Amino acid sequence: MSLQGVKGPSYRFFHGNSKEVMSMQKEAMARPLGLSNNIFPTLLPHVHCWTNLYGKNYLQWYGPQPQMVITDPELIKEILSDREKLYPKTKVPEYVQKVLGDGVATSEGEKWAKMRKIANHAFQTGSLKVCFYELLFSIFFFFFS
């Protein structure tokens, strides 16, 4: 991949970059968060560090399996729109399927289109305004009753 211009942390036999990721997370969680709302370096310190070091897109290793990490917004948009079906969804492990069920996140094809159409209504502006005001009312009621 380095010949194609994709850089990243080097592969470590058997565990890939998992030990590095875990040590970075442990170190980040040990530091106080501070008053800033920038929590990205605390939640994903390896992504923060490696995007600064290797660029917006880099290759990391999850055990023996390479993973391409993409943080470029335009490329993410292209992958998520995927009209030509070049980027198929990965097979969801059975335990995740049991937790999430057979919804928008795990389904594909016609079933996904049907579920997405149903879910789309909830994210229209009118629906969000109603939810927002109900949320404000419940917070106000909780704190001032």
Side-chain angles (χ1 to χ4, degrees):
M1 293 295 276
S2 62
L3 296 175
Q4 296 175 351
V6 179
K7 299 174 184 165
S10 59
Y11 172 73
R12 306 276 191 274
F13 180 69
F14 191 68
H15 61 78
N17 302 123
S18 301
K19 285 186 179 179
E20 288 175 84
V21 170
M22 287 172 43
S23 69
M24 286 177 161
Q25 285 177 335
K26 192 180 226 183
E27 182 183 312
M29 292 303 216
R31 288 182 297 217
L33 191 56
L35 297 176
S36 171
N37 63 353
N38 184 15
I39 60 170
F40 180 63
T42 304
L43 292 179
L44 297 170
H46 60 290
V47 176
H48 181 260
C49 176
W50 291 338
T51 51
N52 290 334
L53 199 61
Y54 302 115
K56 288 184 177 180
N57 307 322
Y58 65 89
L59 184 76
Q60 72 179 20
W61 295 87
Y62 184 71
Q65 183 178 4
Q67 291 182 334
M68 186 73 180
V69 177
I70 299 168
T71 61
D72 179 24
E74 289 300 316
L75 195 50
I76 292 171
K77 186 177 179 181
E78 180 182 330
I79 291 169
L80 291 176
S81 65
D82 191 24
R83 307 226 187 275
E84 291 81 33
K85 305 290 184 220
L86 297 174
Y87 307 101
K89 285 185 180 179
T90 57
K91 182 75 175 145
V92 179
E94 192 173 325
Y95 67 91
V96 174
Q97 183 81 29
K98 287 181 180 179
V99 171
L100 295 178
D102 202 17
V104 176
T106 57
S107 61
E108 291 188 76
E110 269 186 48
K111 189 170 193 173
W112 176 85
K114 183 180 177 185
M115 299 249 191
R116 180 69 173 93
K117 189 175 181 180
I118 293 168
N120 194 37
H121 174 71
F123 295 100
Q124 291 177 350
T125 308
S127 298
L128 291 175
K129 283 181 183 178
V130 170
C131 289
F132 177 74
Y133 289 119
E134 287 181 10
L135 178 67
L136 279 178
F137 177 74
S138 64
I139 291 171
F140 182 78
F141 184 74
F142 180 77
F143 283 109
F144 299 108
S145 64

